Amino acid sequence: MKNNRFLRPLMVFSIPVLILVLLAAPHVWTTVTGDEIQLKTVPVDPTDLFRGSYVDLQYEIESVDSRLLDDSTRSLLKKQNRGDYKNVYVRLQQNKTGLYEAALVTLEKPHKGTYLKGRLHIPYDTTSSSLQIKYGLDNFYAPSDKAKEMEAAAAGHAPVAMVKVKNGNAVLMTISFK
């Protein structure tokens, strides 16, 4: 009976901790074991009153040419409701400058190579040649003084995001200006 007195509170308090650990595990695993890639970005807004200083980023790979869709993704566009989002995988390939670009958009998880999980926005305009995919890498938080420096540096140079990638998961590590 005495064991139950201590065991119940321990179980009750350990459940939220366990949930938090399970939520953080993919990001930690990607940060520790992932491959580092570079993605070309464009900064949008450096400051938010409630969230603090950050750089809002837009990636070139977020806007993909519709010719990069595989057959299963093309047929999805015909069936899915306009305005919805659908999980997709984007296979990446490195170009001559060392940056990664979108090479193929598919519904099935690739077995090899570098790829990211993303959310494809089903467009209202079915004739559009460009589609939008979000990866959850949009914000890079920084101290306010560093965010101002980054904003000034971005005016003259194209920012490059250093991203760790593992099994489609991605973690934004830092931003540099080339």
Side-chain angles (χ1 to χ4, degrees), residues 147-158:
K148 295 286 182 193
E149 288 176 22
M150 295 172 83
E151 180 184 12
H157 300 86

Side-chain angles (χ1 to χ4, degrees), residues 10-30:
L10 180 65
M11 289 177 60
V12 168
F13 290 117
S14 66
I15 290 173
V17 172
L18 181 63
I19 290 170
L20 290 174
V21 168
L22 290 175
L23 290 173
H27 292 287
V28 173
W29 182 251
T30 300

Side-chain angles (χ1 to χ4, degrees), residues 73-131:
T73 311
R74 282 198 183 113
S75 65
L76 170 81
L77 290 178
K78 295 174 185 169
K79 297 176 193 170
Q80 193 80 23
N81 292 332
R82 309 281 182 244
D84 283 352
Y85 287 87
K86 183 68 179 172
N87 292 333
V88 293
Y89 293 94
V90 178
R91 188 177 299 161
L92 302 173
Q93 70 182 40
Q94 193 172 21
N95 65 20
K96 294 175 184 173
T97 63
L99 300 175
Y100 280 78
E101 300 172 332
L104 179 71
V105 178
T106 181
L107 295 177
E108 297 200 20
K109 185 177 181 177
H111 298 290
K112 60 182 180 179
T114 303
Y115 59 93
L116 293 175
K117 281 192 279 189
R119 297 198 36 91
L120 171 67
H121 180 250
I122 309 298
Y124 289 100
D125 179 14
T126 57
T127 61
S128 176
S129 63
S130 178
L131 300 167

Side-chain angles (χ1 to χ4, degrees), residues 132-162:
Q132 299 298 311
I133 300 175
K134 292 292 183 185
Y135 302 96
L137 299 169
D138 301 338
N139 297 329
F140 180 76
Y141 291 91
S144 60
D145 56 333
K146 187 172 180 176
K148 295 286 182 193
E149 288 176 22
M150 295 172 83
E151 180 184 12
H157 300 86
V160 173
M162 306 295 213

